[in-house]
Amino acid sequence: MNKLIKLTKQIYSSDIIGYVMIFAAGTLWGTIGLFVKLLSGVGANSTLTAFMRLFMGFLILVPVLFFMGGIKMFEIDKSGLIQCLLLGVLSQALFNYCYNVSIGVVGVATASILLYAAPVFVCIMSKFIFQEQIGMLKIFSLVLNIIGCFLMVTGGNLSYLKLSVIGIIFGLASAFLYSLVTIIGKIASGSVHPFTIVFYSFLFGWLTLGIFTSPWESIAGVSSFKFWIYSIGYGLIPTVGSYLFYMKGLSKNLETSRVPVIASVETVVATLIGVVLFSEKLNFINVLGIIFLLSSIAMMNMKFKEKGKEAEIPK
């Protein structure tokens, strides 16, 4: 029994649990499309949907933080507050704006594929900020991940793709802003409780969206029992739940460049939800994309013993 307890503590304190948390966060993020469709079905537009996600997530976190540690959970220093401000404004509010513009110009498929450039941005920034190594296996995993996402989104049908300079610029901008969640979150998690980071990033995010999009009239126009139930679910599952797992995982001893590839499991979950709940078709190319994406996640975590030390394959 003592050996089991000791082993459990070792696993929890190691990077294994961190990567499991990132995987769990990606799984919960995979339900975003479900809630977007549900809210769209009751009349909410994309701007209102983005606002409600952060606003409801913020409200849900208030009692959660009080239950966890009381008023102390809301304490944050100036440096941490600035980092949360950057997360909220850049990686929450501005990201949603750029992504929605990209979707409006080039469509969902192209915008989604451009968003999957985020792991590349994270890998490059991790090299310079955290001095992480970029081995051949890591590069191959990134390429495999992008190909997998491309195949899953398009199903091999290139007619879904639309090209536009403005759409591509906003799509890549959304990918860069999305990648900052991992970079800034990793930096902030060293001095601030992960749950406190999430709380303040949501606060700054919904305030920014509220100031620039004025969603209040839209809420009045679509307010109904279903709207609020869906909004609560949206704020709870792919927002509070996913970000708590993600930030807690980042606080572990993880290689930052691996994180977004593991979190990309959200694409697989989103695809399967579409098949099961909305009777969307899944062809051979889609399945191949799933295999590629899951393979890239597995390869990102491959290690081997070399001269008594654990190393990535290959350097």
Side-chain angles (χ1 to χ4, degrees):
M1 185 65 180
N2 290 334
K3 289 183 177 180
L4 180 61
I5 295 174
K6 185 178 180 180
L7 178 61
T8 302
K9 288 182 178 179
Q10 288 176 343
I11 291 175
Y12 184 80
S13 62
S14 70
D15 59 357
I16 297 175
I17 189 66
Y19 289 121
V20 170
M21 288 178 174
I22 298 299
F23 189 89
T27 301
L28 294 180
W29 271 325
T31 65
I32 288 176
L34 169 63
F35 286 101
V36 168
K37 286 189 176 183
L38 291 174
L39 284 167
S40 177
V42 294
N45 58 37
S46 59
T47 302
L48 177 58
T49 299
F51 172 82
M52 291 305 298
R53 182 188 183 193
L54 299 179
F55 182 66
M56 293 308 300
F58 166 80
L59 292 181
I60 291 169
L61 274 175
V62 173
V64 171
L65 292 185
F66 265 116
F67 178 79
M68 289 182 60
I71 196 68
K72 290 184 178 180
M73 289 296 293
F74 297 89
E75 295 177 357
I76 188 170
D77 58 23
K78 183 179 179 180
S79 175
L81 197 62
I82 292 174
Q83 291 161 352
C84 290
L85 175 64
L86 292 173
L87 275 175
V89 175
L90 298 179
S91 298
Q92 300 288 2
L94 192 55
F95 157 70
N96 276 285
Y97 173 76
C98 288
Y99 190 49
N100 286 338
V101 170
S102 182
I103 289 175
V105 176
V106 297
V108 175
T110 306
S112 297
I113 292 169
L114 291 170
L115 183 61
Y116 297 134
V120 178
F121 286 123
V122 172
C123 190
I124 294 171
M125 286 188 285
S126 297
K127 170 69 175 178
F128 295 101
I129 298 174
F130 305 116
Q131 285 75 53
E132 293 184 3
Q133 296 298 315
I134 304 179
M136 290 303 297
L137 179 66
K138 189 174 291 185
I139 294 173
F140 184 71
S141 299
L142 284 170
V143 173
L144 197 63
N145 186 267
I146 294 172
I147 293 174
C149 291
F150 175 85
L151 295 178
M152 288 178 61
V153 170
T154 65
N157 187 352
L158 299 183
S159 64
Y160 288 137
L161 300 182
K162 297 179 182 179
L163 297 180
S164 163
V165 174
I166 296 297
I168 291 173
I169 289 174
F170 274 93
L172 291 176
S174 68
F176 175 73
L177 293 168
Y178 181 66
S179 71
L180 292 179
V181 172
T182 305
I183 300 299
I184 300 175
K186 179 69 174 179
I187 295 171
S189 63
S191 58
V192 185
H193 194 286
F195 295 0
T196 306
I197 295 172
V198 176
F199 173 79
Y200 282 105
S201 68
F202 285 174
L203 170 62
F204 290 124
W206 73 257
L207 282 175
T208 303
L209 285 175
I211 292 171
F212 289 100
T213 64
S214 302
W216 324 112
E217 293 183 5
S218 298
I219 292 176
V222 301
S223 182
S224 66
F225 178 74
K226 284 186 176 181
F227 170 78
W228 290 106
I229 290 296
Y230 297 156
S231 295
I232 292 172
Y234 196 24
L236 180 63
I237 298 173
T239 308
V240 169
S242 58
Y243 274 97
L244 291 187
F245 273 122
Y246 198 74
M247 290 302 175
K248 188 65 176 177
L250 284 176
S251 68
K252 303 293 181 181
N253 183 30
L254 306 185
E255 268 197 75
T256 313
S257 53
R258 298 178 188 271
V259 169
V261 174
I262 296 170
S264 66
V265 69
E266 87 172 83
T267 314
V268 177
V269 175
T271 300
L272 295 179
I273 286 177
V275 172
V276 174
L277 297 183
F278 300 105
S279 301
E280 295 178 359
K281 294 182 179 180
L282 195 67
N283 61 27
F284 172 75
I285 300 298
N286 296 131
V287 174
L288 189 62
I290 292 175
I291 294 172
F292 278 14
L293 190 143
L294 292 178
S295 297
S296 72
I297 293 175
M299 292 175 66
M300 264 293 185
N301 291 279
M302 286 178 62
K303 294 182 179 181
F304 76 110
K305 298 288 183 178
E306 182 180 31
K307 296 181 180 180
K309 295 182 179 180
E310 209 172 37
E312 183 181 319
I313 309 176
K315 287 294 185 184

